[in-house]
Amino acid sequence: MLLSALAATLLFGVGDLSASELRQPDGPIILTVEGAITNVNTPDGKAEFDMAMLDALPQRRFRTATIWTSGVSEFSGPTLTALLAFVGAKGKTLRLTALNEYAVEMPAADAFADGPILATRKDGRTLSVRDNGPLWLIYPFDDEPAYKTEVTYSRSIWQLKSIEVKD
């Protein structure tokens, strides 16, 4: 896990895209990223994403059980690592906020290749607000027993609407 975290740290400093490569959303805005980022698409320095833009990021899928659902489900969506790299995140802390204003902070270093994803789909179906969507930060709980903690569960925020990257 430490090697994955180091790889993520290196990834955030390498391969940042220029602001001209982040297009304007065509559909409804699903996610806003702000704070210590370099790739933006709004005049006030934010990165706004519609579903098509999120779908264009590197995707990951895994099967896992959660404490909120019954049985094992397949979750898929962009990796948190890919999103942070794409916006040129330079901070150490992430503040994640849900539609109901529930918010949680987590170290940016927790975003690594085999870590959490921004699930847009469960069992192949697009997540609706009613189904904890449109975005659910979810960990592969069954792949890593260390994820089965109250801290990690509290970071598994559903109905995610924004991420603030803090120094």
Side-chain angles (χ1 to χ4, degrees):
M1 192 168 354
L2 178 59
L3 289 176
S4 295
L6 289 173
T9 302
L10 292 173
L11 178 62
F12 295 160
V14 177
D16 291 341
L17 301 173
S18 70
S20 65
E21 294 185 54
L22 181 55
R23 68 172 179 79
Q24 295 296 313
D26 292 325
I29 296 167
I30 304 296
L31 179 68
T32 301
V33 184
E34 62 186 312
I37 61 174
T38 59
N39 195 9
V40 301
N41 61 0
T42 70
D44 57 350
K46 297 177 183 178
E48 296 178 333
F49 293 84
D50 62 16
M51 189 63 78
M53 294 166 71
L54 292 170
D55 285 345
L57 293 172
Q59 305 285 302
R60 182 168 176 237
R61 68 181 61 232
F62 51 77
R63 295 184 56 76
T64 194
T66 77
I67 62 172
W68 308 279
T69 57
S70 60
V72 174
S73 297
E74 180 183 80
F75 293 92
S76 61
T79 64
L80 183 57
T81 302
L83 175 76
L84 295 176
F86 187 72
V87 298
K90 301 296 182 192
K92 294 183 174 111
T93 304
L94 306 176
R95 180 175 175 81
L96 299 98
T97 305
L99 292 173
N100 68 358
E101 300 305 323
Y102 171 79
V104 65
E105 290 194 357
M106 66 184 280
D110 280 5
F112 47 86
D114 295 331
I117 64 170
L118 300 171
T120 57
R121 290 166 181 80
K122 177 182 169 197
D123 296 326
R125 292 188 323 214
T126 302
L127 290 170
S128 68
V129 171
R130 184 178 190 143
D131 297 321
N132 299 332
L135 294 175
W136 185 355
L137 182 83
I138 192 119
Y139 291 77
F141 296 108
D142 292 348
D143 293 350
E144 178 58 59
Y147 289 145
K148 295 180 179 183
T149 68
E150 287 300 316
V151 170
T152 304
Y153 293 145
S154 73
R155 292 176 182 163
S156 298
I157 185 170
W158 56 74
Q159 297 178 339
L160 179 66
K161 72 171 183 176
S162 65
I163 299 174
E164 179 185 3
V165 181
K166 300 164 76 173
D167 290 326

